[in-house]
Structure formats: C-alpha cells, structure tokens
Amino acid sequence: MPSTTYSSTRGSPSQKSISFSKVVMSGLAHDRGLFVPDEIPKIDMTEVETWRNLSYADMSTELLSKYIGSDEIPLSDLRSIVTIALSSFRVPEVTPVVKVGGHYVLELFHGPTFAFKDVALQMLGGFFEYFLKKGMNGGRLAVLGATSGDTGSAAIAGLRGKEGVDCVILYPKGRVSEIQERQMTTIMDPNIHCVAVEGTFDDCQDIVKASFGDKEFREEVKLGAVNSINWARVLAQQTYYFWTYLRVTDDPSVPPGSLINFAVPTGNFGDILAGYYAKRMGLPVGELTVATNENDILHRFFTKGEYHRRNINKSISPSMDICVSSNFERYLYHLLEEDAGELKNLMTAFEDTGRLTITGARLKKAKQDFSSARADTEETLAVIKQYHAEHNYMLCPHSAVGVSALIQNNSVDNLSVALATAHEAKFPAAVSMAVPDLPTPPPQLAKLFSMKTRSQTCACDAKAVQDFVKMRIAERVNGGKKKDLGSKLGALAVAVGVLAVLAVVLTRKH
Ligand SMILES: *Cc1c(COP(=O)(O)O)cnc(C)c1O
C-alpha cells in the first residue's frame, strides 16, 4: 500500500500532497497551516482482531503501516524504528491498561521521562534519524524548542544520541520545577544543549518563533521543530487507542466491537486528536471527552461554540496551561469538511481578534465528535484524594482532571478509560496538597537530585540565543570532523604498530 500524503490545512498549492518524510522533517507547513492526511486510512476490524496477541511494538507497526507505505519506510525498517523507540519503556505492555474504581486507567507514564509525550517523541527521534541517514536535509537537523517543563525533557529523551540531530531546548530560568529542570540538564549526550533563558516561557517561545522566521539562521543551522504540531506525534499517539481497545475487549464480558469511551486531559489537543483519527479510521470509539483545567478554551468551544482566547491561569496541572491549542486547527479543518479556504479565513480572523465562533449544525457536529468537562484546582485535588483513599491509587494532577471528567459525565463503567498522562512523582508539590504522605518516588526520579547537571544561561534575546546555537553547532560539526580524522589516524597508527610487531615476530622466526 502506498503512503498517505498530506496537505496543509490552509490550502496553499505548494503545500499539497506532501510525503510523510517531508511532513515529519518540516513540522509546520510553509503557509503556517498544519499538515493533515489527504485520506484517513480505513481499518478493517477483522484485521484489528488479528493484532490481539501481538506485542505493543508489532501492533503499532501494523497500524503505522496503514499510513506509512513501504515506498517510504520498508516494513522491516518501520518495525525496527518502533521497537527501538518502545524499548525505552520500563514495562513490556508499554502503556498498561488497569482497572481502577470501576473504570480503566491507561497508564502512559512508563517511558523515560514519566509522561505520555515519551510515546510519540521516542518514535519521532527514530524517524528523524532514519530520514537523516537517508540524506534528507543534508543529513543534519537542529531542533529548537521552548518548554515550560514536560515537552523539553521528553524531546531530549527522544533525541539524545541521535545521529545528525542537535537538540536545543530553551526554558525560563528559575521558572520550571527542579525535577523538570534536572530531567533535562542531567542528560550529558553531546548533541543535547539546554539553555536557561533569563525570561518567561512566553519569551522563550517568542525566541523560537523569531528564529524560525529568520531564513538565514534557519538555513545556516538546518532548523526543525518538535513541538506538538508535528504530525508524527499525532500518528504515534494513535497506537495506544488501538492497544487500549484490544485490552478492554480482552475481558470476555466486553464483546469485540464494543464502543470504548476515552477521557483525555487536554492542553494542545494533540493527545485527544489522535483518538479522533483512530475513530475516523474505524476503531470502535464511543465518547471522546476533552478534559481541561481552568484554562478551558476547549471546554468553552465544545459547549458553546466559542473558541475565545483568554489569559493563562497558572494551575496545578501546568502541562495543560494553554490559552490556545496548537493542534485545534487540524480538527477545525475536518469540522469544516476540509474547506481550506474557510479554515484560513477563520484562523486568520482568530489570529487578529482572538475569537472564533461556530453555531448551528456545526456546533451540533462538534458536540457529536467530542464531549467536554472542566475541573478546577479544588475538584482536581478532591479526585486525587478520593482515588488514594478509596482505591490506593495515585493520580498526577493532569490525570485527575481526566478522571474528574469521567465522574462528571457519569461514565464510570467498564467501557470507559481515563488517560493518565504523567507519574504523580513529577508533581510532588501539587499532589501533596491532597495526599500529605507521598509514596516513595521511583529511583530514576529520586537519583536526579544527586546527578551532575549541564546548562547554559543566556540573555533573553533572540540574537544571543542564535549565536549560542550557531557556535555549538559549528563546534559539533567541526569537532565531529576532527574526531573522525583523529580516530582514523589512531586506527592507522594501531595498524602500523600491529604490522611492525608482526614483522618483528616473523623475522625472529627465521
Ligand atoms: C502535554 C501534557 C498534556 C496535554 O497534552 P496535549 O496533547 O497538549 O493535549 C497533559 N498531561 C501531561 C502530563 C502533559 O505533559
């Protein structure tokens, strides 16, 4: 089967029918739109049944091959990319589906950084390396990202040691939690560069945006992005919806084909969008619930049709603190029945006014596609406390927002799944407000506090950051060459030495 091609949501003619590899390497389309599949592959449920006994990696390979044909990645290569990516998870099921309090919890936090973003970023790192080795982008890619915490560490864990890739992560100095900072700065691979910017997260994001807008810089360092809009992330995240469907219907009392409901803690709409595509492929998905914290632009959209921007409230689930959702445009495009012209008008108006409103049949359709719920700090803490007391189960503040949505929607049953997006030990300050005696953190997190760290402080200035990036990349490219030459000379010296010894031995014999 040939690969699915992609086009920009904003319809520019040069951004149509683009291959998977180009889409992965470029991230954002040149017309500022997002890439969406030209056709969503349909899946045959009798085939999905044949995946029931496969490992997570093998099941994922089958699923991804519906989008990525052997013309772009031969099946055996795809299998090895996926298998290597998932081998960094600490449990063989990768994302265990466990029964808690009458419903299921999908545990997405068993990867290297203890949050769900690992599933996609481990695979994205594999895709980058694969395409660079094939010579794309001149064999080199510099990834520049800004983080307020979770994305940076997951990106670093996915890209460390990857050939041809340099990864520069900007974070606001003194404004990320110590665990999150250490998850980034204790990684010593030479291709990882952490920069503590003397500014806020928004300043960091502005520097990233300015750097992408700077053509000269972009081309000089071969810049790429790993933010949540990369299609490969949405694609990789579809694997756990299929995995969960299979695990829930392993229960003999739940016949195959039963509709499974998912409640998803949502910020940039990437995680839940994967569930939407899985449903469009034909997976039996019932309700998809958008669960938000106080930053509830998505909840307001799915209840009132109002996608109206407001300022950010700092919450106890910081990875969902957004004022606009970067993946929302993809769903809006489908809601508008793939009308790129209208999408572009709506998004351009939104960028100017901060307001986008839908009504009538469209709002009705949006409400059929998604339900939504919102949990504030008090509700979130109450759920953490309740699950600990009644089920001896710890939820992180993000996961608790998802569970709260299930409870609010009266969906606590054996067909419903709440996605648990992070391990509670990453957010001890928030969780201890609900459960004062926290369980011992996993050793991988506890040991971060005694490890060596490395980070560069930088002024809050795009030029200063760009100079640093240029310098580090030049060092790496030249340093790499020197080292290559050095090791070649070294090997030559050894070879000469061995020959000399042999010669001596041989002469002596005679
Ligand atoms: C990123 C993140 C989310 C939000 O996911 P989106 O794809 O942005 O909706 C939720 N929980 C945690 C722990 C995260 O890191």
Side-chain angles (χ1 to χ4, degrees), residues 333-344:
Y333 175 79
H334 294 302
L335 181 63
L336 301 178
E337 284 160 23
E338 287 84 38
D339 184 338
E342 190 179 2
L343 182 279
K344 188 175 170 195

Side-chain angles (χ1 to χ4, degrees), residues 114-117 150-151 228 233 237 264-272 298 319-320 322 327 396 398-399 421-422 427:
F114 292 80
F116 91 93
K117 293 186 175 71
D150 273 350
T151 315
S228 60
R233 290 179 64 179
Q237 285 162 191
V264 188
T266 306
N268 275 319
F269 208 71
D271 199 358
I272 194 163
L298 290 167
S319 302
M320 292 152 61
I322 48 92
N327 269 296
C396 95
H398 309 78
S399 312
T421 51
F427 304 96

Side-chain angles (χ1 to χ4, degrees), residues 254-289:
V254 181
S258 302
L259 296 177
I260 310 303
N261 309 307
F262 293 90
V264 188
T266 306
N268 275 319
F269 208 71
D271 199 358
I272 194 163
L273 185 69
Y276 170 79
Y277 281 114
K279 187 175 183 176
R280 294 277 307 260
M281 286 181 82
L283 187 72
V285 173
E287 214 164 340
L288 274 173
T289 305

